[in-house]
Amino acid sequence: MDNEVSITASALSRSRALATEAVHAGRDDLASLGLHAPPLDLSTTYPSYDSRGEAERIDTFATTGARLDGPPVYARLDNPTTARFETALARLEGTDSAVAFASGMAALTAVLLARASMGLRHVVAVRPLYGCSDHLLGAGLLGTEVTWTDPAGISDAIRPDTGLVMVETPANPTLAEIDIRAVAHSCGTVPLLVDNTFATPVLQRPAEHGARIVLHSATKYLGGHGDVMGGVVACDEEFAARLRQVRFATGGVLHPLAGYLLLRGLSTLPVRVRAASASAAELSRRLTADPRISRVHYPKLGGAMVSFEVYGDPHRVIAGVRLITPAVSLGSVDSLIQHPASISHRIVDEGDRQASGVGDRLLRMSVGLEDVEDLWADLCQALSDGSAQPVRRVRSAEPEPAVRSAATEWSERSMSSEPSSAGR
Ligand SMILES: *Cc1c(COP(=O)(O)O)cnc(C)c1O
């Protein structure tokens, strides 16, 4: 009997695999509601005939930051659709809680304000970080004071007023990796924030290695389709409560439709990340063997981002792609490429940018779900437009640039291999 009970208990407490959580977390109550798809609640306010009861609930929220029981009072306090996304993301990251915001930058802002409200304005950070995170820490917009260091210098950089240690791994855009466990150890009692946007919980769960705060630009892989902007912080309930208070007071809430789309995005996150990572790994192998490329950055951890340095002019690669979209951002179903020194990291001081490995010949590619041979063909034609050759390339008398003919070839190829148009 005893045995049976303990088996049942362990079966219940056994955590489900990530792929299962991705499609079920945040949806546990749907069957009991008689629903299959999660409901989208766009209400900005909620009726209540019991204002004494509301007063009590508001007091509880204001003093504890705990999630409201029952319907929200007003959409800036909470939203049931967004709450489903928060529950699901917390499960995927293996944390107590998660708090969603209007963007990744709104999420980082809330973290900094939450720490500053405790008198802890000093941040220790490791470069490179996403360009705007670097800017937010360094520009003093929130009164933050930052000490930049490398992972080995973290413990020496910590002061009595240090409220946060911040790292990104793999980092944007160099894909440099940091040993989270070692860094968490150097932080002592200061919370470590890991920006996990690039790895996603599919490849890495920083909380399991000692990070107290895990941040995502949900705009990237979590949404996954380039059509929703959001941010989220996964953490323990104590810090989540503080973040809810900051979010309520400062208003950087996620729109419920975005919450809905992010919950939906999570359900395919494991398959998207694994498929795109396989293509990125293959592209990194081919780029490594390519004489036009001087250096390839691809994380040991894997992932769907690959960065590389060209011998020639990186701007001509950007101008030459035809299938891959030349655009900032990442993590969508389609591939994007950009020049960090011009775009994603433009706002970082040039010297700091160079010193953290973001050189002028570096390109960052977000690999999507296209066929890897098509991606390689597009990269090859963009690279062979002389763009990756040293500048001495001599133009022939030919009026048609090489890029144009490669693009024409590409569109002819895609048209002729379109089975449905041929069939109909
Ligand atoms: C894009 C990005 C951010 C900022 O997120 P937004 O949603 O654009 O505000 C933060 N960190 C990383 C690593 C990013 O790539």
Side-chain angles (χ1 to χ4, degrees):
M1 265 319 251
D2 270 5
N3 226 359
E4 233 171 77
V5 170
S6 70
I7 287 166
T8 313
S10 79
L12 286 174
S13 64
R14 177 187 171 272
S15 64
R16 298 182 293 191
L18 186 104
T20 308
E21 292 288 13
V23 294
H24 286 282
R27 302 162 179 88
D28 293 341
D29 60 334
L30 290 183
S32 69
L33 294 171
L35 297 173
H36 183 234
L40 168 55
D41 180 349
L42 294 170
S43 305
T44 54
T45 190
Y46 294 81
S48 169
Y49 293 94
D50 174 15
S51 35
R52 278 203 190 83
E54 292 300 86
E56 232 169 77
R57 294 171 71 229
I58 291 171
D59 285 350
T60 307
F61 180 80
T63 51
T64 67
R67 237 184 203 180
L68 290 181
D69 284 331
V73 178
Y74 185 60
R76 189 153 31 73
L77 273 78
D78 199 7
N79 171 273
T81 307
T82 297
R84 290 180 186 279
F85 163 64
E86 293 172 331
T87 301
L89 195 270
R91 289 262 271 280
L92 295 183
E93 285 290 1
T95 57
D96 297 342
S97 303
V99 184
F101 295 89
S103 68
M105 293 317 302
L108 179 57
T109 297
V111 171
L112 295 174
L113 290 175
R115 299 304 288 162
S117 70
M118 300 168 192
L120 305 169
R121 289 181 180 278
H122 179 243
V123 175
V124 174
V126 176
R127 280 193 168 116
L129 295 177
Y130 169 64
C132 203
S133 302
D134 187 310
H135 176 64
L136 181 62
L137 294 180
L141 289 170
L142 296 175
T144 307
E145 194 193 332
V146 60
T147 300
W148 298 104
T149 182
D150 56 13
I154 288 174
S155 49
D156 286 345
I158 288 175
R159 313 191 310 212
D161 64 338
T162 305
L164 193 71
V165 174
M166 177 167 180
V167 303
E168 242 176 62
T169 178
N172 187 350
T174 60
L175 308 178
E177 289 171 278
I178 287 174
D179 180 342
I180 297 173
R181 198 176 289 279
V183 163
H185 184 74
S186 315
C187 292
T189 58
V190 178
L192 169 65
L193 181 154
V194 174
D195 185 326
N196 201 32
T197 300
F198 275 33
T200 83
V202 177
L203 300 176
Q204 164 178 284
R205 301 178 6 137
E208 287 174 357
H209 305 294
R212 186 166 164 206
I213 302 168
V214 181
L215 184 135
H216 282 273
S217 168
T219 314
K220 316 293 169 55
Y221 291 101
L222 306 188
H225 295 71
D227 56 4
V228 54
M229 179 155 264
V232 63
V233 178
C235 55
D236 54 57
E237 176 51 28
E238 186 189 339
F239 192 61
R242 194 74 180 164
L243 288 176
R244 284 187 209 103
Q245 291 173 321
V246 171
R247 183 177 63 179
F248 164 61
T250 59
V253 292
L254 185 72
H255 190 275
L257 177 58
Y260 178 90
L261 289 170
L262 290 175
L263 181 67
R264 177 153 126 165
L266 289 185
S267 58
T268 54
L269 182 71
V271 277
R272 283 187 285 107
V273 168
R274 287 191 189 111
S277 298
S279 297
E282 178 58 26
L283 292 177
S284 87
R285 276 190 288 275
R286 294 187 190 186
L287 288 165
T288 303
D290 194 297
R292 296 166 292 191
I293 307 298
S294 62
R295 189 167 171 203
V296 177
H297 305 256
Y298 187 69
K300 287 194 196 69
L301 185 74
M305 299 297 296
V306 53
S307 296
F308 53 96
E309 292 163 45
V310 291
Y311 282 113
D313 180 358
H315 301 286
R316 295 184 62 187
V317 180
I318 297 291
V321 288
R322 290 296 175 267
L323 173 67
I324 302 162
T325 302
V328 74
S329 198
L330 57 120
S332 185
V333 287
D334 59 315
S335 297
L336 307 177
I337 194 166
Q338 63 110 17
H339 182 239
S342 298
I343 307 193
S344 64
H345 290 68
R346 188 68 192 171
I347 200 156
V348 180
D349 169 79
E350 190 179 349
D352 294 333
R353 199 164 65 216
Q354 300 274 358
S356 60
V358 187
D360 288 343
R361 288 173 191 256
L362 182 76
L363 292 165
R364 187 195 77 188
M365 180 173 172
S366 167
V367 179
L369 298 177
E370 299 93 338
D371 187 275
V372 69
E373 298 302 337
D374 290 334
L375 291 175
W376 179 243
D378 193 41
L379 266 183
C380 272
Q381 65 81 22
L383 285 166
S384 59
D385 173 39
S387 52
Q389 302 300 324
V391 200
R392 59 183 170 69
R393 180 180 186 264
V394 183
R395 270 256 126 93
S396 68
E398 227 178 12
E400 274 293 272
V403 136
R404 186 79 65 72
S405 59
T408 313
E409 250 170 54
W410 157 252
S411 68
E412 277 165 5
R413 190 157 76 84
S414 59
M415 267 156 51
S416 66
S417 65
E418 180 73 63
S420 53
S421 63
R424 270 172 216 163

